[in-house]
Amino acid sequence: MSSQVVVEAPGTHRVEPHTPREPGPGEALVAVHAVGICGSDREVYQGNRPEGYVRYPLTPGHEWSGTVRAVGAGVPGSLAGRKVVGEGFRNCQVCDRCHAGETTLCTDGYEETGFTQPGAMAATLTLPARLLHVLRDDADLTAAALLEPAACIAAAALKGGVRPGERVAVVGTGTLGMFAVQFLRAVSPAELLVVGTRNDREELSRRFGATDFRTRDQELPDDVDVVVETAGSASAARTAASLLRRGGRLVLTGIPAPGAEGLDPTDLVVRQLEVHTVFGAPPDAWAHAVRVFGAGLLDPLPLVTHELPLTEFPRAIELVGAGDPKVGKVLLHP
């Protein structure tokens, strides 16, 4: 029997039988292959996700991959049988930000798969077909389940506008940091520095293309062209800014605790730093991530350390929050 996870309220969940919802007009029904767990899923379960960014009861799961089983009216029939991933933000498509392609800034309010809309911790997921991105027929669906966080970093890479031959750096060595290394390596930088807090990430960083690895307590450069920050702390943001040359470009993707003291505005102005931020991934970033993945330039599998059945949802949540350096990406299989 197929099943689904339902978080009734913070700290309370059940695994129950799942009944697929047939796709309506403009929708597609996807058989879920794998779904990833991230810190925001832990927030949903613990009840500390910001108000307005979750709606209970809820089936979580915003990082996923699968195969289209059926489509509704108005959706090309050729989509059936294709391997896909999908955007999470349920944007309105008619406001000025959506028309500008900035769908994560939709002015109609926040709606997202796995947070306010049913997610992929179930045997199937029914969603608007316009959110799907088709993969190659030979795509590894286990690896593809990580394309949602990869798309967020693709957005950072695009905003950073790295050109071949520039000196670049990544601050943070988690899943997002390792994706950042791969995206930046693909544009042939002259140097690619990774800055982290743990020496045990050096081998993987170099495997993905880093030319140098240092911890924050070591001597760091101050003449880097572009820095992508992925660690999610105020101190990481300050470290990232300190690496830049005058006029350098900084892209922040991490979200520190509310009220954290971060960058010095005087320093930003005097050094004329160009600062960008990323929250989620718009369609162009998703398309970029899928294209880079399809070209073999993005390898998510080394980041996966645990694959569990859907019934082990509680254990998966514990693993993600344990702080064990041996725990990387945790996937659930319906």
Side-chain angles (χ1 to χ4, degrees):
M1 177 182 294
S2 61
S3 58
Q4 65 184 15
V5 171
V6 176
V7 177
E8 290 277 9
T12 303
H13 84 283
R14 65 180 187 273
V15 179
E16 64 179 17
H18 170 74
T19 301
R21 181 173 72 79
E22 291 301 313
E27 293 184 323
L29 171 67
V30 177
V32 177
H33 172 79
V35 54
I37 305 283
C38 86
S40 55
D41 295 304
R42 185 174 170 83
E43 290 177 351
V44 167
Y45 188 63
Q46 293 181 325
N48 50 18
R49 187 160 172 83
E51 184 178 356
Y53 287 84
V54 64
R55 187 179 302 133
Y56 301 100
L58 172 72
T59 294
H62 62 287
E63 304 177 4
W64 58 270
S65 63
T67 304
V68 177
R69 293 300 183 215
V71 298
V75 179
S78 59
L79 193 61
R82 299 301 303 274
K83 296 177 179 179
V84 294
V85 290
E87 299 174 31
F89 282 78
R90 304 292 186 93
N91 45 81
C92 74
Q93 293 290 290
V94 296
C95 71
D96 65 333
R97 290 302 87 206
C98 283
H99 281 307
E102 298 175 341
T103 53
T104 58
L105 297 176
C106 177
T107 60
D108 194 43
Y110 172 79
E111 295 286 346
E112 186 174 3
T113 299
F115 296 109
T116 63
Q117 297 290 330
M121 290 188 194
T124 69
L125 173 65
T126 302
L127 74 168
R130 63 180 172 78
L131 299 178
L132 298 179
H133 289 260
V134 176
L135 304 173
R136 290 167 51 115
D137 291 340
D138 61 354
D140 184 326
L141 284 177
T142 298
L146 276 69
L147 285 180
E148 192 277 340
C152 295
I153 294 302
L158 291 173
K159 286 191 174 184
V162 178
R163 294 179 286 272
E166 288 192 308
R167 301 181 67 205
V168 300
V170 174
V171 175
T173 58
T175 297
L176 297 182
M178 295 300 95
F179 276 137
V181 173
Q182 296 183 67
F183 275 107
L184 295 177
R185 183 59 180 171
V187 296
S188 301
E191 298 176 27
L192 175 45
L193 167 67
V194 174
V195 179
T197 58
R198 293 165 25 201
N199 284 312
D200 62 344
R201 298 298 275 184
E202 179 173 1
E203 181 181 353
L204 189 58
S205 298
R206 291 186 182 276
R207 175 177 172 180
F208 285 142
T211 60
D212 192 6
F213 181 95
R214 304 185 198 183
T215 54
R216 292 190 209 173
D217 57 354
Q218 294 178 297
E219 183 178 355
L220 298 173
D222 60 2
D223 57 355
V224 175
D225 295 299
V226 182
V227 179
V228 176
E229 177 276 325
T230 67
S233 70
S235 62
R238 290 193 293 271
T239 296
S242 72
L243 297 173
L244 288 164
R245 63 167 171 79
R246 290 170 59 85
R249 308 189 295 282
L250 173 62
V251 187
L252 303 174
T253 70
I255 303 177
E261 294 185 4
L263 302 176
D264 178 359
T266 300
D267 179 61
L268 299 181
V269 172
V270 171
R271 293 203 290 140
Q272 300 182 58
L273 300 184
E274 184 178 316
V275 181
H276 299 272
T277 60
V278 170
F279 178 64
D284 64 336
W286 270 95
H288 184 49
V290 169
R291 183 167 54 247
V292 172
F293 177 64
L297 299 173
L298 190 67
D299 184 10
L301 280 180
L303 302 174
V304 178
T305 58
H306 295 75
E307 296 183 61
L308 305 171
L310 199 64
T311 51
E312 293 199 40
F313 170 74
R315 183 186 171 208
I317 292 294
E318 288 180 7
L319 285 168
V320 169
D324 185 344
K326 296 181 181 179
V327 177
K329 200 65 186 178
V330 179
L331 298 182
L332 295 176
H333 290 279

